[in-house]
Amino acid sequence: MTMLQIRNLHASVDGKEILKGIDLEVGAGEVHAIMGPNGSGKSTLSYVLAGREGYEVTEGQILLDGRDLLSMSVEERAAAGVFLAFQYPVAIPGVSNLYFLRAAYNSIRKARGQEEVSGAQFLKLAREKAKLVKLDPELLKRAVNDGFSGGEKKRNEVFQMTLLEPRLCILDETDSGLDIDALKIVSEGVNALRGPERAMLVITHYQRLLDYIVPDVVHVLVDGRIVTSGDKGLALELEARGYDDARASARNG
Amino acid sequence: MSLLTTIPERETPPTLAPLRERARQALQRSGLPTKKTEAWRFTPVRHLLDRDYPKAEVVDTSAGWAAPGRDPRAHFRGAQLLALPQPQPGLKAYRAVEAPAALLERLGTVATNEHFVALNSVSFTDALLLVVGRDYDGALDLDYEAFGTSPAYPRVLIVLEAGARLRLVERAFGQSALSVPVTEVVLGPEASLDHVRVHSNEGALLGTLAVAQERASRYRSLVASFEGAPLRLDLDVRLLGPCAEAYLDGIYLVGDQAHVDHHVRAEHVAPHCRSQQRYRGVLDGKATAVFDGQALVRRSAPGSEAHQHSRSLLLSGRANVYAKPHLEIDHDDVVASHGATVGTLDEDPLFYLRSRGIPAPVARGMLAFAFLEELVNATPVEAIRSELTESVLARLPEAQTLRAHFEELP
Ligand SMILES: Nc1ncnc2c1ncn2[C@@H]1O[C@H](COP(=O)(O)OP(=O)(O)OP(=O)(O)O)[C@@H](O)[C@H]1O
Ligand SMILES: [Mg+2]
């Protein structure tokens, strides 16, 4: 069953076209990796999916579970199950991580017509999930990402994802900044979320992550287009040979 | 009758006559501020001066006012001093008529005798004079209940003797045409005052809070302003003895047509003193805020440290802020910093919150709340923290939802 469907997606930022016709289908339970050179549009794609302002979709369509994502606000998309683990998570001084997450958790429940949970229930859940990705409980009390190390920020993103249990997980270079142990722990957290009720887009530069989170499909994004797709062997090939072939095929295609 | 013509002839203790006379002369000399008075440029008061006021009305003193379970307190209703704190060891409270002459003579020695201070000095009906000794370590509440259609002139003098400590909460609330309160504070050597002053009254308030600090005294202040029709506060701190410290925080949160004006001044006269001003405000609707912070370091004050920062957050495109920090330093041996920022909410945190499912208006409220809450959490008087938090929440959009989100976790 197709969960995410992207058709002929064109998007620009400040009048400059970045995504130049993307077609992508991700089935329920599948994990797709997206690789590609710096500036090829990977983060742009993730922002367009999450609904960030300033990213103008000029053509094309995005459906999640058959619903038109592009007509929804950012928060409606989150309630529909979109979760973006940011490449550069922003710090929010003054807002404690726990209070922020309870607000998020309950907002989503409310939007879905579910009952909001009590403080005690939420705490229990948050502690459980924090353990899963070995997030230092001290970080729960601190302001969101404020003064977090690069790796702590990434771990915090995956912690949030584990807690909010989205339909569509988009991980934008979650592996960068993680040490070897953290990479393993975070990957285990992500793998625990794999399942038929969920689809994942994993953006990365490194084949190593894909040893842990083994993708069903690997896509290569060059200059705003997917130029080639394959199984996880493609990632190994790219690791060995770089993006030159992909670039050439983009030029010829 | 316009404001100046309503000044009543007062029967006062003879000790007060010189103060009244000096004030009368000051008023004749300088009058009340006009459009051309620099310090009042952004807060026009003409309409308040020209308005028609009835003569002072009689206040019904029988109506209940006491809120049980609160700290020892004094209560002004309009111009009338309804209640004084019960005497306690180390705490003495007097009305003007019964105060010792030596204490009465200190009235008017802290606040600069001009404009509205002078007007208060000629007009106040009753004054509250408090002396706090070293053997009192406690709290005191001071209520200014705005009341009635004639102008009110509450007047307070608080003297902390050497080594005394006090937690003071002043609250201006209620509804009236105009209130012109003047509070004078003297901090004796090594005295310590933790002070929160809350403005949530409806109607005009033009207030002065003047503090004189002696050697190694410490003053921690938080001013919280939630209404402004208009509100003006002149907070004047003079560091007269060496090693005195003044920490002056302020928050304001206003919307609609409100106008709030905080003039904060720290004057370093003695060496090795420290002053810090941190003001933060959130404005919505067509509200206007003025922050005028001054740090003055005199020649006589080497080794001073003076900091001053103000930040304002505009939730609406029609709100306005005039922020003017100034440092005036007559000495080389000084550590000083100052800055003022005015801005809207950052897009990045807003997007982050929304991407986690928090609706935009709630996300904005959360960020505005967090912005003010940092100073609320640093309140010098812990007992008032939850009251302040609630005052902030109640005035933000989506208050109900925000309350639930910020309800304390077990
Ligand atoms: N606000 C903007 N104005 C102009 N160009 C922009 C803007 N934001 C992004 N771009 C451009 O869009 C292109 C794609 O950027 P994007 O961040 O999507 O790349 P990426 O594939 O995620 O790169 P990386 O691997 O370095 O993270 C880049 O050339 C970038 O400079
Ligand atoms: Mg990127």
Side-chain angles (χ1 to χ4, degrees):
Chain A
M1 194 189 69
T2 306
M3 191 174 277
L4 174 70
Q5 196 163 31
I6 302 177
R7 287 198 203 120
N8 189 31
L9 181 68
H10 291 253
S12 7
V13 185
D14 289 336
K16 180 183 162 202
E17 184 165 64
I18 312 281
L19 302 183
K20 302 172 178 171
I22 290 190
D23 290 280
L24 182 63
E25 281 197 15
V26 185
E30 290 178 2
V31 174
H32 288 216
I34 298 182
M35 305 184 77
N38 295 132
S40 57
K42 303 182 296 297
S43 291
T44 303
L45 174 61
S46 67
Y47 286 147
V48 169
L49 286 167
R52 183 168 203 147
E53 257 167 59
Y55 290 74
E56 195 199 347
V57 174
T58 51
E59 223 183 309
Q61 201 180 27
I62 306 176
L63 301 176
L64 180 67
D65 294 316
R67 295 166 66 194
D68 175 18
L69 222 47
L70 293 177
S71 67
M72 296 184 209
S73 68
V74 179
E75 51 268 35
E76 283 166 350
R77 295 182 199 205
V82 175
F83 183 99
L84 168 60
F86 286 77
Q87 181 174 3
Y88 304 108
V90 65
I92 312 184
V95 179
S96 122
N97 217 359
L98 265 182
Y99 285 74
F100 151 66
L101 265 177
R102 174 176 58 176
Y105 190 77
N106 277 334
S107 294
I108 288 179
R109 288 187 70 87
K110 192 170 162 190
R112 290 179 183 163
Q114 295 162 327
E115 207 177 316
E116 293 168 50
V117 299
S118 73
Q121 282 171 306
F122 174 77
L123 262 189
K124 187 162 169 277
L125 189 71
R127 293 211 176 103
E128 227 167 72
K129 303 291 185 185
K131 221 179 268 169
L132 218 62
V133 292
K134 298 214 168 83
L135 186 83
D136 181 353
E138 274 307 304
L139 295 182
L140 293 177
K141 293 185 200 147
R142 296 237 304 260
V144 181
N145 296 326
D146 198 17
F148 286 26
S149 76
E152 286 169 343
K153 283 184 191 170
K154 296 305 180 73
R155 208 182 280 222
N156 194 30
E157 293 292 289
V158 175
F159 161 63
Q160 294 176 33
M161 189 169 92
T162 316
L163 190 85
L164 297 177
E165 299 186 327
R167 292 281 287 169
L168 173 66
C169 304
I170 308 157
L171 291 94
D172 192 355
E173 294 195 28
T174 302
D175 51 336
S176 62
L178 290 179
D179 65 45
I180 300 159
D181 295 337
L183 182 67
K184 225 171 131 182
I185 293 158
V186 162
S187 301
E188 279 163 15
V190 173
N191 284 331
L193 276 179
R194 285 180 85 151
E197 69 286 358
R198 199 162 285 127
M200 294 191 186
L201 279 180
V202 179
I203 297 169
T204 182
H205 286 295
Y206 304 106
Q207 196 275 329
R208 199 184 52 200
L209 176 72
L210 305 180
D211 283 341
Y212 294 110
I213 305 173
V214 182
D216 299 295
V217 187
V218 177
H219 306 278
V220 179
L221 190 66
V222 176
D223 193 21
R225 291 188 190 88
I226 290 176
V227 293
T228 174
S229 304
D231 62 12
K232 69 183 174 68
L234 181 56
L236 283 168
E237 254 172 68
L238 290 169
E239 183 100 335
R241 300 224 296 267
Y243 289 114
D244 280 352
D245 293 359
R247 280 205 181 91
S249 77
R251 272 193 299 275
N252 302 333
Chain B
M1 287 188 293
S2 74
L3 195 58
L4 275 175
T5 57
T6 52
I7 299 174
E9 282 299 321
R10 298 279 184 217
E11 289 282 326
T12 49
T15 342
L16 281 182
L19 170 66
R20 302 263 204 220
E21 187 47 37
R22 268 186 320 214
R24 210 177 297 278
Q25 283 170 15
L27 271 185
Q28 260 159 21
R29 235 182 3 255
S30 65
L32 292 173
T34 66
K35 269 203 310 235
K36 294 197 184 108
T37 314
E38 179 60 26
W40 288 82
R41 206 149 65 90
F42 298 112
T43 302
V45 287
R46 181 70 191 264
H47 65 290
L48 292 173
L49 308 186
D50 292 350
R51 196 189 276 171
D52 229 10
Y53 295 98
K55 273 210 182 304
E57 59 236 295
V58 179
V59 171
D60 176 8
T61 55
S62 64
W65 53 268
R70 295 243 310 258
D71 285 318
R73 60 204 282 255
H75 188 108
F76 279 96
R77 173 172 296 154
Q80 231 109 352
L81 180 54
L82 287 195
L84 277 77
Q86 299 294 317
Q88 333 233 343
L91 178 68
K92 283 176 263 176
Y94 309 92
R95 292 175 189 275
V97 284
E98 59 201 28
L103 186 59
L104 268 185
E105 274 163 11
R106 301 183 81 162
L107 214 53
T109 59
V110 185
T112 308
N113 198 18
E114 58 170 15
H115 298 323
F116 291 100
V117 175
L119 180 63
N120 177 293
S121 294
V122 293
S123 310
F124 68 81
T125 356
D126 209 348
L128 169 69
L129 299 103
L130 285 161
V131 181
V132 183
R134 174 193 271 297
D135 40 347
Y136 183 77
D137 183 5
L140 182 77
D141 277 15
L142 194 45
D143 293 347
Y144 304 94
E145 181 186 352
F147 183 86
T149 49
S150 69
Y153 302 97
R155 183 65 177 247
V156 178
L157 171 70
I158 302 173
V159 177
L160 266 66
E161 292 178 339
R165 310 164 69 82
L166 178 68
R167 295 185 300 279
L168 173 69
V169 175
E170 287 183 294
R171 290 182 184 81
F173 57 93
Q175 205 169 10
S176 71
L178 173 63
S179 178
V180 184
V182 174
T183 307
E184 295 179 279
V185 178
V186 178
L187 300 184
E190 288 172 39
S192 158
L193 176 62
D194 291 333
H195 182 192
V196 176
R197 174 164 166 134
V198 186
H199 298 117
S200 52
N201 59 298
E202 286 167 42
L205 188 147
L206 309 172
T208 301
L209 172 56
V211 182
Q213 292 190 239
E214 295 175 22
R215 179 182 52 79
S217 60
R218 192 183 70 160
Y219 178 47
R220 295 202 302 154
S221 150
L222 172 66
V223 173
S225 302
F226 300 114
E227 299 285 344
L231 166 79
R232 161 80 176 222
L233 178 70
D234 284 88
L235 169 55
D236 241 312
V237 178
R238 279 182 301 147
L239 301 156
L240 300 172
C243 304
E245 297 177 6
Y247 300 94
L248 312 173
D249 285 354
I251 58 167
Y252 50 86
L253 169 58
V254 285
D256 300 325
Q257 315 270 346
H259 179 101
V260 292
D261 177 345
H262 296 91
H263 268 62
V264 183
R265 192 165 176 273
E267 183 182 358
H268 292 245
V269 179
H272 303 294
C273 290
R274 195 186 146 94
S275 72
Q276 174 184 292
Q277 303 174 21
R278 297 188 298 184
Y279 270 67
R280 285 194 186 181
V282 174
L283 290 100
D284 207 347
K286 281 175 152 173
T288 313
V290 181
F291 174 77
D292 188 298
Q294 287 191 59
L296 310 170
V297 181
R298 299 302 184 204
R299 248 186 188 328
S300 52
S304 290
E305 198 175 328
H307 303 283
Q308 178 191 80
H309 294 274
S310 89
R311 290 171 63 189
S312 315
L313 186 58
L314 304 176
L315 295 183
S316 136
R318 293 175 308 163
N320 251 311
V321 175
Y322 304 95
K324 209 170 104 186
H326 24 192
L327 284 172
E328 194 185 311
I329 298 178
D330 300 338
H331 208 288
D332 293 338
D333 178 19
V334 170
V335 178
S337 68
H338 76 307
T341 63
V342 179
T344 52
L345 280 175
D346 282 346
E347 281 304 318
D348 287 354
L350 199 56
F351 174 61
Y352 193 84
L353 296 182
R354 293 179 67 197
S355 80
R356 299 300 184 244
I358 300 169
V362 180
R364 277 191 208 100
M366 286 178 73
L367 293 172
F369 178 75
F371 177 70
L372 296 177
E373 191 67 357
E374 283 189 83
L375 290 190
V376 170
N377 283 336
T379 173
V381 181
E382 178 58 29
I384 198 179
R385 183 144 68 102
S386 58
E387 182 184 325
L388 286 174
T389 296
E390 171 52 29
S391 296
V392 170
L393 283 175
R395 283 170 178 83
L396 286 170
E398 304 290 329
Q400 201 57 35
T401 310
L402 291 180
R403 248 185 225 115
H405 289 341
F406 286 107
E407 192 195 324
E408 205 138 333
L409 283 165

